[in-house]
Amino acid sequence: MKLDFDWQNDGKLHQYCIQCYAESVHKVVDEGKIYYFCASCNKRHDRLIVIDPKIKWWVGEGGEYWHESAGVFIRNHEYKFLFFERVKFPFAITIPAGHVDEGEDPLTAMRREAQEEVGLIVESATKIMSEDIIGDSCRRGCDAHRWHAYLIVLNQNIDLKMLEEEEGHMPTWLTLDEAIRKDLTFPVRYIIEHYRDKLLT
């Protein structure tokens, strides 16, 4: 996504329609999934364009809109990983993850997301990768993310569940072989395909 329209960078939150760029969108919920309706073009969209001073973002070469994200693969003693189904775009299976806040380092962001989404307090984690991933489309209108992924290995079984229903539902434990056959978000599939050995070490 290129920010090739008249957008504002004034330190305030702005939310634009993904199609007509009007600031006339509002959230709607349909069958448990979150969409965005624009009163200007009178259409419902899966995503919008958000300029949010609270998260790390920048405009790259050629006007490409970038975000920074951090996520965690949580592995149990059976070498199964925690996944859940997103209720926001992209509507696919993912891991606990989210955008890095302004002034926040990726490790802190991952710990915050793990606690907010599944109630896990992370004391230590192994870094799997840091890489720019093009093609990772998020609900905030960005298609390019600087990703940081971590691994946590649980010493005992714990009952993790979704704490924020606006993030996702239907948590499940899957092996990587099982997961790769599912409808995964773009970055999660990318990380499994490129860093499988590190996730299983």
Side-chain angles (χ1 to χ4, degrees):
M1 170 66 67
K2 291 186 178 181
L3 295 182
D4 53 3
F5 64 97
D6 188 19
W7 54 279
Q8 298 294 315
N9 184 17
D10 55 7
K12 297 178 182 178
L13 175 68
H14 292 276
Q15 299 187 107
Y16 303 96
C17 173
I18 194 79
Q19 179 174 309
C20 72
Y21 308 128
E23 283 196 84
S24 57
V25 292
H26 66 271
K27 181 176 72 174
V28 293
V29 180
D30 185 7
E31 295 184 354
K33 292 184 178 179
I34 296 173
Y35 302 91
Y36 303 94
F37 182 81
C38 176
S40 294
C41 63
N42 201 35
K43 292 183 179 179
R44 188 186 80 173
H45 305 285
D46 291 348
R47 57 200 296 234
L48 67 168
I49 301 171
V50 181
I51 305 296
D52 187 351
K54 292 183 179 179
I55 70 166
K56 281 189 182 177
W57 66 273
W58 63 95
V59 178
E61 213 171 298
E64 188 69 34
Y65 186 32
W66 282 82
H67 289 161
E68 189 166 9
S69 294
V72 59
F73 286 82
I74 301 171
R75 193 182 82 200
N76 67 14
H77 71 286
E78 297 178 314
Y79 279 75
K80 291 186 175 183
F81 296 79
L82 180 69
F83 295 89
F84 62 87
E85 186 177 309
R86 286 181 57 86
V87 297
K88 296 178 181 177
F89 181 90
F91 304 116
I93 293 172
T94 191
I95 60 172
H99 290 107
V100 178
D101 286 346
E102 185 61 41
E104 186 178 47
D105 63 85
L107 179 60
T108 300
M110 178 275 291
R111 285 175 168 154
R112 173 177 53 77
E113 293 291 344
Q115 186 169 6
E116 288 176 356
E117 293 184 358
V118 296
L120 180 64
I121 297 175
V122 178
E123 295 181 358
S124 63
T126 301
K127 190 168 189 178
I128 298 299
M129 56 79 80
S130 286
E131 187 176 333
D132 291 347
I133 299 181
I134 307 294
D136 173 19
S137 301
C138 74
R139 72 168 186 90
R140 294 171 180 248
C142 181
D143 298 320
H145 287 75
R146 180 160 295 158
W147 248 89
H148 310 274
Y150 298 84
L151 170 67
I152 296 171
V153 179
L154 301 177
N155 294 323
Q156 59 184 4
N157 281 336
I158 58 175
D159 182 23
L160 298 180
K161 59 183 180 180
M162 299 305 302
L163 297 183
E164 292 189 356
E165 293 183 0
E166 281 203 356
E167 292 294 332
H169 62 171
M170 298 176 64
T172 185
W173 294 90
L174 301 170
T175 66
L176 294 184
D177 287 338
E178 291 170 334
I180 209 70
R181 295 194 292 268
K182 302 288 186 179
D183 181 20
L184 298 174
T185 59
F186 186 92
V188 170
R189 180 174 296 280
Y190 179 92
I191 295 166
I192 292 174
E193 289 177 346
H194 290 80
Y195 298 93
R196 180 188 179 92
D197 289 346
K198 284 190 174 183
L199 291 170
L200 295 174
T201 299

